[in-house]
Amino acid sequence: FGGTVSYYYYTIFLVKNQPFVVTEPLANVAGIVAGGMLGLGCGRLISERFQKTLMMACAVAVIFLGLTGAVKEMLALDGGGLALVGTNCMLASLIGGALIGEAINIEDRMEKFGIWLRRKTGSSGDTRFVDGFVTASLTVCIGAMAVIGSINDRLLGDPSVLFAKTVLDSVIVMIMTATLGKGCIFSALSVGIFQGAIFLAAGFLEPIMTPAAFKSLSAVGDILIFCVGTNLFGLPHVRVANFLPALVIAVIWVLAG
């Protein structure tokens, strides 16, 4: 038994016989907490009118990030003109992901976890806590930067993508916390679990994450980020968390094609 434990310990925590520390994913967590704390302090000083304006600014920024990312991945030159590519993959991923996500009701589970966090942190009177937690978690976890950054850091020793993501996440969560409250700060937990799991599993993911798979993942992920932005705008609510299986389907579609 002791030998088995030792084997798995060294399998997980040694790379090329060198010990490593999960530094960059933790830096991302710390950046979100720092940005959230700053936003929480600023939010108390900002009037409700300014908070609404900041929320609209945040919504525009998130929509823009999602839209431009999706367009970049799905537009290609074709005979001197532009053509939309990957539409079948996009449709299959979103529809299939929605069906699977609704069947297991991911968003409801996230909301229940948010309610548990609200109770454990003594924030029962904060009516925006759960909305802030879910919205911020989806914003900072969805997208290729989380996947690509974690894999690059683990396998190539290149933390640049994760560090860039840390800066972006810190700013986004700061603005969200100023308007939606301290529930946004706890999105650091979601990022830590999500990126930490990818970091540790990177050795298994590397063979399947081809450039085409990354491209497909990015396109679908950016569409989901766009939907997060529309939710911030107060448009008809999209249960974005229930679309998360679409990211897996997008990769499988490319590998099976």
Side-chain angles (χ1 to χ4, degrees):
F1 180 78
T4 302
V5 171
S6 299
Y7 171 78
Y8 282 111
Y9 176 85
Y10 283 107
T11 299
I12 295 174
F13 290 97
L14 288 181
V15 180
K16 296 180 180 178
N17 297 321
Q18 296 295 323
F20 69 88
V21 180
V22 189
T23 304
E24 286 72 25
L26 291 179
N28 201 169
V29 170
I32 289 173
V33 172
M37 294 301 292
L38 182 60
L40 189 63
C42 293
R44 293 170 180 169
L45 304 175
I46 301 173
S47 67
E48 184 176 352
R49 180 169 63 90
F50 279 94
Q51 286 186 20
K52 288 182 179 179
T53 302
L54 281 174
M55 178 56 68
M56 292 300 99
C58 190
V60 170
V62 173
I63 286 175
F64 180 78
L65 288 172
L67 184 60
T68 54
V71 168
K72 181 182 72 173
E73 300 297 345
M74 296 187 67
L75 283 183
L77 289 175
D78 183 18
L82 289 174
L84 195 62
V85 298
T87 52
N88 290 336
C89 175
M90 180 265 292
L91 288 170
S93 299
L94 292 177
I95 295 172
L99 291 173
I100 296 172
E102 285 293 338
I104 58 180
N105 210 346
I106 299 173
E107 181 136 339
D108 185 56
R109 295 174 188 273
M110 284 189 70
E111 289 177 353
K112 287 180 179 177
F113 181 57
I115 292 170
W116 179 82
L117 279 176
R118 182 176 65 186
R119 185 174 67 253
K120 290 298 182 179
T121 56
S123 306
S124 298
D126 187 353
T127 58
R128 300 180 301 175
F129 186 98
V130 176
D131 186 34
F133 167 71
V134 173
T135 301
S137 293
L138 291 172
T139 303
V140 297
C141 286
I142 296 174
M145 286 186 79
V147 178
I148 296 171
S150 299
I151 291 177
N152 283 358
D153 183 30
R154 172 71 162 80
L155 299 178
L156 305 178
D158 178 13
S160 58
V161 175
L162 277 188
F163 279 140
K165 182 178 182 294
T166 297
V167 175
L168 291 172
D169 289 352
S170 300
V171 174
I172 289 172
V173 172
M174 179 181 68
I175 297 173
M176 284 187 172
T177 305
T179 54
L180 289 177
K182 64 181 178 182
C184 299
I185 301 175
F186 290 90
S187 63
L189 290 175
S190 304
V191 164
I193 294 170
F194 183 68
Q195 290 183 179
I198 294 174
F199 184 91
L200 294 176
F204 300 99
L205 294 175
E206 183 191 22
I208 66 173
M209 293 308 293
T210 62
F214 270 129
K215 186 178 181 70
S216 180
L217 173 71
S218 297
V220 174
D222 286 325
I223 291 172
L224 298 188
I225 290 175
F226 173 85
C227 293
V228 172
T230 64
N231 286 346
L232 290 174
F233 248 127
L235 298 176
H237 184 75
V238 180
R239 292 165 60 83
V240 180
N242 284 352
F243 282 87
L244 289 177
L247 299 174
V248 178
I249 296 175
V251 174
I252 293 175
W253 180 279
V254 172
L255 298 177

